[in-house]
Amino acid sequence: MEKIYRYRSNGRSPMVWAMLAFALFITWGLEASNDPPLLGRVLVWGMLGLAMWSLIYNPKHGIDLSDSELTIISMGKPRTIKLADIDHLSVRDSGGDLGFRFRLHMKQSKPIELSFAALPSARKLGAELEARGVTVDIKTIFGI
């Protein structure tokens, strides 16, 4: 029987809530002024609309990892990749609080960038892939 590892992430991240709170605060401040500039209004209402869209749409992210395939569920259609086609996974620290950059290096094609929103921690994903025979190269600034 094939062991399947599943990870799902809710699209309502703290960053979306922070962006919404900031947009609401700036909108309130801008609209409270006597004569707000049109460009300011367009930018603030656009940012508010993006935050609201992210909360309403609530995209699901995640992966399904079996003994032979990796399925990535992100903003578009789910993408399935055979583990035999993967040369290695490289994980690099983006610096600061930006998270990690995940890149699947394929044997016969270009590398595939993975959204960190769709993935578990670098160590957890690395352990699951190494258990299935995929080489994982994790390099961070602080060696964590």
Side-chain angles (χ1 to χ4, degrees):
M1 182 168 180
E2 207 171 40
K3 179 183 170 193
I4 294 180
Y5 171 74
R6 264 197 181 103
Y7 172 80
R8 293 291 184 270
S9 167
N10 188 339
R12 292 183 178 149
S13 70
M15 187 63 162
V16 172
W17 287 106
M19 190 170 87
L20 179 62
F22 178 73
L24 286 171
F25 178 75
I26 295 298
T27 303
W28 170 76
L30 188 68
E31 295 300 329
S33 69
N34 289 337
D35 190 22
L38 179 62
L39 180 61
R41 271 191 169 160
V42 168
L43 291 175
V44 168
W45 283 100
M47 188 170 63
L48 184 61
L50 285 174
M52 292 299 293
W53 177 257
S54 293
L55 289 174
I56 292 167
Y57 179 62
N58 190 21
K60 300 288 186 218
H61 304 285
I63 62 168
D64 290 339
L65 179 61
S66 70
D67 291 336
S68 60
E69 293 180 335
L70 170 66
T71 302
I72 304 159
I73 300 144
S74 196
M75 292 298 282
K77 234 169 64 173
R79 181 173 185 176
T80 301
I81 301 165
K82 293 191 182 304
L83 293 181
D85 295 339
I86 300 172
D87 183 49
H88 70 281
L89 169 72
S90 67
V91 181
R92 300 291 180 260
D93 195 344
S94 303
D97 269 347
L98 299 176
F100 291 92
R101 289 185 56 210
F102 293 86
R103 181 178 282 174
L104 280 176
H105 295 271
M106 309 304 288
K107 292 179 180 174
Q108 301 294 326
S109 62
K110 291 184 193 180
I112 300 170
E113 291 282 336
L114 302 176
S115 168
F116 70 91
L119 302 172
S121 71
R123 297 285 176 208
K124 181 73 174 163
L125 179 61
E128 291 291 336
L129 284 171
E130 284 180 340
R132 289 165 173 82
V134 176
T135 306
V136 178
D137 178 27
I138 299 175
K139 289 194 178 141
T140 63
I141 294 173
F142 302 109
I144 298 172

